[in-house]
Each structure stands twice: as structure tokens, then as C-alpha cells.
Amino acid sequence: MYFTQHFWELLFQGIRLGSLYALIAIGYTMVYGVLQLINFAHSEVFMSGALGGVFMLTALAGTNGNIPSGFSAFEYTALALIAGAVVSAAVAFSLERVAYRPLRKRHAPKLVYLITAIGASIFLYNLAGKLFGRNNLQVPESFHSGPVFVLPGTGPSGPRTVKTLDVLIIVTAFVMMVVLDLVINRTKLGSGIRAVAQDAETAQLMGVDVGKVISRTFIIGGLLAGVGGVLYAMFHAVSYTMGFIPGIKAFTAAVLGGIGNVRGAMLGGLLLGIVESFSQGIIPNGLEWVDVVSFVVLVVVLLIRPTGILGERTGRAA
Amino acid sequence: MRTINRVRAGAVIAAGVFALSACAGSSTKSGGGSSSSSTGSGSSTSAANNGKPTLEIGVQGPLSGANQALGLNIDWGVKLAVQQENAKGDLPFNLAVKEADDQGLQNNGADEANLLIQDPKVMGVVGPAFSGPTAAAGALYSTANLVAISPSATAPKLTASGFKTFYRVVANDNIQGKAAADYMAKSLKAGNVFVVDDKSQYGQGLSTAIIAQLKVDGVTVETDSAQAGTQDYSQLASKVASSGAKAMYYAGYYADGGVFAKALKSAGYTGTMMSGDGSKDPNFITTAGKDAAEGWQFTCACLDAGTNPKYAAFVSAYKQLANAEPGTYSIEGYDAANTIISVLKGLNTASPTRAAVAGAVGTVDYQGLSKEVKFTSTGDISTTAVYVYQIKSGVITLLGDVNTLVGGS
């Protein structure tokens, strides 16, 4: 049977996709934590990171698309990841300044935030489409992905392998998540974020600069989404609408894990990726069923645990 | 104080946008962003300011969005035909182009068709370019008696839907599909073939035709589908790779086809990879990257101008107008527009009616650049040539006519 033969391969591909969902989902969940806002423009933060990374790759590679001399493939990729993270963080920061801060100052109702988020999203992707064209952009290949190790299970075309790019995606995503977890639980900035998430007014009375904390939350979410965007670009395509579907999926992952809960977002992302991958392996012509299966899983989880797998623990350590 | 803050924030954004666009300048080279205003007022006619009235030829297709390249190829072909006709000036009116951008999406088909129908100056339409919008718009054009000649909508059922003013200047997907299947079975000698479609009107029509003919040819067929916009093609690519199929055919458009190509490369698939007219575009290579796109083959009822000296005049005129090489369906768009123009000439009146134009198109016999334009009673083109192309060193190159390739092997 296909699924049992390809179990490890499917699991691996699921983790790869899931770790990208997780990187994006963290941005949704952290912003929800401090503002109780679903930042629908986060998918465009992700898209701008991918664009930033691709422009960095293109600028370094020049016209022939080869890695410039004097760079190793990993330095080259790292520069692209940094560029993507910086661009995304800048976009997320400006977004908060321009779209959400004025609303907060005027104590706007929650519904106004929501429609602002949707408006900002539409504005940003149309702006990107206008500036960079509406075709897919070329992504220079940072390395010609050779196999790293061989997975158990075989098909007629020989054993299935894992490529450098796959390892890069998973390792980068996990390192980012571990670092974020440490930042939130061990640093002053982290305790600020948790304090604002628990009770913004009290946090302010205790001397926490709420505005600053919110800004930084957006920046952190942007950094992660930017890295996710560049990684996604390397195996998918880059265009002005690329953010939409991953954004929806990551939001789903955040809800699945428990919105507002950072570890929940990580878990939800991974779970969603693996469910999507497995459903393709188990169901014949499974690609058509992927979304059906993932949303059935979401509904079932919410029926059993209405606040998500790890619960809606805004402001707690985990 | 508040205003100062706001100004500052605005400046931050403006600076950011400016910086981004500055980076972009060096790397975008797409032919996109060329959306000329849709009334056609600017396009080529104002020069002939000679007191004649102006009539319009409509263009409906994806002029923006993910698959815009195919629509723009057609649009420029039509503009060239109109420009040349106005330069000749032997019609009792000037012609202009009116654009309707349906982004290739079925949902937009009807609205954009109405835009053209409601403009009484539009005498004929080149398009709709894609099959989905055509299915949505065909009945509207019929009711309005407005002729719609598509250079590229190839879903077989379109000419069997009773759209009495719908014609097309390319062979439909039953013919393309049969040719593609015969090519894979007899020329590539593939004993087993994996067929993937994108669930669109076009993709499903094409894959159905291919699968039917492959079975006739005694080939083992495996199939799967992946909707346009699929997030992760790697599972499907692994499935194709481990099926051991000698050939794989993707029936869909290039925006997704390119991503799929990337995944197939990474899955290590070694068979012959093929796709149809919807993916035969340089943007397929842009999306997939040179490595992953290399060696892909395409079937298409369309004829590329390429380096064939027969088309040199067309190519240079097109380049001058569009500032780009002619692409897939540029010639067909040009031919479709010229078919309408030749009908208008035949009618020889300063105020033709839509019904008269539609009636005359049915019986037209016009020697176009790509082929003789002559329609069957259902609106299909009577010639049935299908060509095979291959990406060689990053360029889409003509391999030849399917009939010769199959016969010669």
C-alpha cells in the first residue's frame, strides 16, 4: 500500500510544510495575544519577506543565476533569509504604526481593527502586484539540492531521498522556534509581552511601555514570517498573491493549537502539515481532499477542546 | 502633534515602498504592468484623425493576474492587426481595441463580456482567452449576436454548448489531447503514463481527451488532480516518481505547472515531462527555474513565429509595438482580429450590425498567418495541426508537427 511504503517520506514532507505553517502561525498568535486582533495582513508580511529574500538572491546572483564566487551556498542562503526577515519585520512594524496604532489611540471597537486588517491586506498585495508584476518571480536556486540521506521505503524508481533544501527548511524553522521560546520565557522583553497579553492596563501601571511591547511583538512575528516566506519561496513560487493560502492555513494552525499560545501555534502548524501530507498518502487522489481533511480535524479538535489543543493561554509562559 | 506623527509614519512607509521598488527595478523583467487604458482610445487610432467614425474590436482575456502572459500575447496581436488596418485606412471607419480583463477566471467571464456587449461600438470580440470564462460568457455573446473568436479557449465542450456566435482559431482539446496521447504512446513509446490535471475547465477537458486516447493506444494510465493554487506539490511529485511512469502529462496553466515542475525535479522524476498550451510560456521557466524546466515538452495547436522567415515581418512589427517577442497565441490573436477585419471589409458599410458580422464570420474563408481560417458548423477551426515544443537550454523550441513526429518514428 502506498501509505505504508512511503510513510517516512510523507511524514518528512508533512514536517517540512508544517514547520513553515508554524513559523507563520506564531505571528498570528502573538499579535492576538497582545491585541486580541486577528492580523489578516500577516499573510502579506509573509509575502513581503519572500520578495525581500528573492530580491537579495537575485541581486547577489546577478543575471546568470549562479552563486557568486566567494560565497558558500549557505552564506548565500543565510543572507537571503536575513533580508527576508528584515523586510518582513519592517513591513509588520509599519503596519502596526500606520494601521493599528491610530485605532488603539482612539479606542476603536474590535470590529474596526478587523476590517482595517483586511483592508491593509488587500492594499499590500495589490501594491506588491503593481510594483513587482503579477507573474511569478524567478527564484535563483541557492544550491542544487543533492540528496542528504535516504529514507526507508522504496518505489519503482528507487529509494526516496531527503534533499539539502528540505533539511535547511526544517532546521531553520526549528532553530527559530526554539530561540523564540527562550525569548518569550527567559527575557525581559518576553515577560513584557506576557504581561501585556495578560492584562494590558495593569502592565502599564507596573511600568511596562505597552506601545513598545506591541511594536516589538509585530517585529518578532514579522521576523519569523519573513524567514518562513524565503524558505517557502525556495520550493514553491513567489508572486503577489502567494501569502493568501499559507496565511489562512497558518491561522488555522494557530486556532488548532490554541490562539494566543505560542507553543500551541508551533504544535498546530506541525500537526496541520502532517495531517495534510498523510491525507494525500492515504486517500487515493488525496490532493483534492487535503483541505476537507484538515478542516474536519480542526472542527473535531474544537469540539473536544474549544480553546485548541494547548488551550488559549494568552500571557502564560507557554 | 498628532499630524506630525502621522506625517512621519507616512514618510516611513513611502521610504519603504520606494526602497522596495528600487530593489525591484533590477530584477523584474516580466512583460506585465503594460495595462493600457481599456477604452482603446490610446491604442494606435488617434493618429488617423480623419473624421471617420470609430468602431471597436473587443479583447477578453487575462490581462492581469497569475496567468496574464497568455492574455497579453493575444492583446498585442490584436492591437497590431488593428494598427496595421488603421494605417491602411481602407475601411469606412477607424478601429480601436477595447480590453476586458477577466484574469482568466471563470467567475469574471460574464461581467467582462457584458462590459464589451454594452458598448455599441464593439463589432466583434477576440476571446475569451481561457475556457472557464468562455463557458460563462458564451451564452451572453450569443444573445447579443456579438461574434467572439477565441484564439486560445480549447475546452472541447465549448463548441458543443450551442453558443451560436462562438468560434475559435485553434484546434480544440479533443484534437490536442488525441495528438498528445499518440505522441506519448507512439513517438516516446511510453508504456505507462501519469496524467495530472488542475481541475479547471481546460485541464479536465484536456486530460479526459488524453486519457481516452491513451487507453485506445493500449497504454497503462494513472491519474491524479491538483487544483490550481495547491500548496505543496511534493507528495504528488513523489507519487509520480515512484509510479515509474515513462511519461507524465500535466494539463493546466503555467503558474502552477512551474511549481509542479520544481517539485518533480526535487522528487527525482526521470521520465519525459509534458504539458499543454496552457503551460507553454516563458513564465513556466521563470517559475520552475532553469534546471527544473529543462527538457519539458509541450503540445499546442498554436504556431510560434520563432525564427521562421515566413513570419519575420510579423515578428518585427510585433516587437516594435509590444516591446516584447511574440509569445504563445500572439499569431492566433492577430489572425482572429484580422478575420473580424476581413469580415468588416466584406460587409463594406460604414455602419455594420453585429448580426451581419456574426453571420459572415460563419462562412469566412480567410488566409491567416498561422493557417487558413475557415470554421465548421459548430465554430471549430477546420484545420487540426498540433505541434510539439521542448524547452532546450531555457528556450521553448519547436520540435515539429505531431503527425510527422508520430509517423516518422
Side-chain angles (χ1 to χ4, degrees), chain B residues 26-76:
Chain B
S26 60
S27 57
T28 45
K29 55 174 176 51
S30 70
S34 57
S35 52
S36 62
S37 67
S38 63
T39 53
S41 55
S43 61
S44 65
T45 47
S46 44
N49 193 4
N50 46 16
K52 292 192 215 169
T54 298
L55 292 179
E56 291 170 339
I57 292 181
V59 175
Q60 185 185 340
L63 306 177
S64 68
N67 290 304
Q68 62 173 346
L70 292 170
L72 290 170
N73 288 344
I74 294 165
D75 193 29
W76 285 115

Side-chain angles (χ1 to χ4, degrees), chain B residues 278-345:
Chain B
S279 286
K280 184 191 152 292
D281 187 276
N283 273 291
F284 180 90
I285 307 171
T286 312
T287 307
K290 266 191 179 163
D291 278 5
E294 190 65 23
W296 271 73
Q297 300 189 11
F298 304 93
T299 54
C300 190
C302 58
L303 186 58
D304 270 14
T307 50
N308 190 333
K310 199 174 141 193
Y311 306 119
F314 167 78
V315 172
S316 70
Y318 184 98
K319 264 201 236 172
Q320 204 177 3
L321 182 67
N323 202 15
E325 294 277 341
T328 301
Y329 292 129
S330 288
I331 291 194
E332 281 77 10
Y334 179 78
D335 277 352
N338 274 323
T339 305
I340 296 175
I341 291 170
S342 83
V343 163
L344 290 171
K345 245 179 231 172

Side-chain angles (χ1 to χ4, degrees), chain A residues 1 12 77 126 144 181 200 207 213 233 276 291 299 304 311:
Chain A
M1 190 192 152
F12 191 82
T77 313
N126 279 300
H144 300 274
D181 202 65
V213 166
E276 288 194 354
D291 292 345
V299 169
I304 300 166

Side-chain angles (χ1 to χ4, degrees), chain A residues 9 144 156-157 160 163 232 236, chain B residues 231 238 241-242 262 266-267 291:
Chain A
E9 185 179 11
H144 300 274
S157 62
R160 315 297 308 146
K163 304 282 164 44
Y232 183 80
H236 204 266
Chain B
Q231 282 314 287
S238 302
S242 57
K262 230 177 187 177
S266 137
D291 278 5

Side-chain angles (χ1 to χ4, degrees), chain A residues 18 22 25-26 177 253-254 256-258 261-274 308-310:
Chain A
I26 288 167
M177 287 191 266
L256 193 62
N261 184 323
V262 173
R263 282 184 190 165
M266 299 176 189
L267 182 69
L270 284 173
L271 189 68
L272 189 65
I274 293 170
I309 300 171
L310 294 187

Side-chain angles (χ1 to χ4, degrees), chain A residues 241-263:
Chain A
T241 49
M242 65 177 284
F244 181 68
I245 295 173
I248 297 280
K249 290 288 172 68
F251 173 52
T252 310
V255 174
L256 193 62
I259 188 101
N261 184 323
V262 173
R263 282 184 190 165

Side-chain angles (χ1 to χ4, degrees), chain B residues 44-138:
Chain B
S44 65
T45 47
S46 44
N49 193 4
N50 46 16
K52 292 192 215 169
T54 298
L55 292 179
E56 291 170 339
I57 292 181
V59 175
Q60 185 185 340
L63 306 177
S64 68
N67 290 304
Q68 62 173 346
L70 292 170
L72 290 170
N73 288 344
I74 294 165
D75 193 29
W76 285 115
V78 175
K79 281 180 182 159
L80 178 62
V82 165
Q83 185 197 44
Q84 291 178 344
E85 181 51 41
N86 283 336
K88 267 191 258 168
D90 56 357
L91 279 173
F93 41 79
N94 293 318
L95 281 174
V97 176
K98 186 177 173 85
E99 295 170 330
D101 176 13
D102 62 22
Q103 302 193 317
L105 303 174
Q106 185 155 2
N107 292 343
N108 297 347
D111 285 350
E112 294 301 321
N114 278 325
L115 189 77
L116 297 176
I117 290 168
Q118 281 156 12
D119 181 345
K121 283 190 291 193
V122 175
M123 283 298 119
V125 174
V126 175
F130 282 13
S131 299
T134 309

Side-chain angles (χ1 to χ4, degrees), chain A residues 2 6 9 13 16 55 94 106 132 135-136 144 156-157 160 163 232-233 236-237 245-246 277 280 285 287-288, chain B residues 13 24 27 68 199 223-226 229-232 234-235 238-239 241-242 254-255 262 266-267 287 291:
Chain A
Y2 188 85
H6 294 80
E9 185 179 11
Q13 287 168 343
R16 188 183 74 174
F55 289 140
S94 324
R106 291 169 179 73
F132 310 121
N135 279 315
N136 290 336
H144 300 274
S157 62
R160 315 297 308 146
K163 304 282 164 44
Y232 183 80
H236 204 266
I245 295 173
S277 184
Q280 289 186 52
N285 288 10
L287 248 173
E288 296 174 58
Chain B
I13 288 287
S27 57
Q68 62 173 346
K199 291 256 120 196
T223 60
D224 211 329
S225 301
T230 290
Q231 282 314 287
D232 192 352
S234 44
Q235 288 90 352
S238 302
K239 214 177 265 183
S242 57
Y254 64 80
K262 230 177 187 177
S266 137
T287 307
D291 278 5

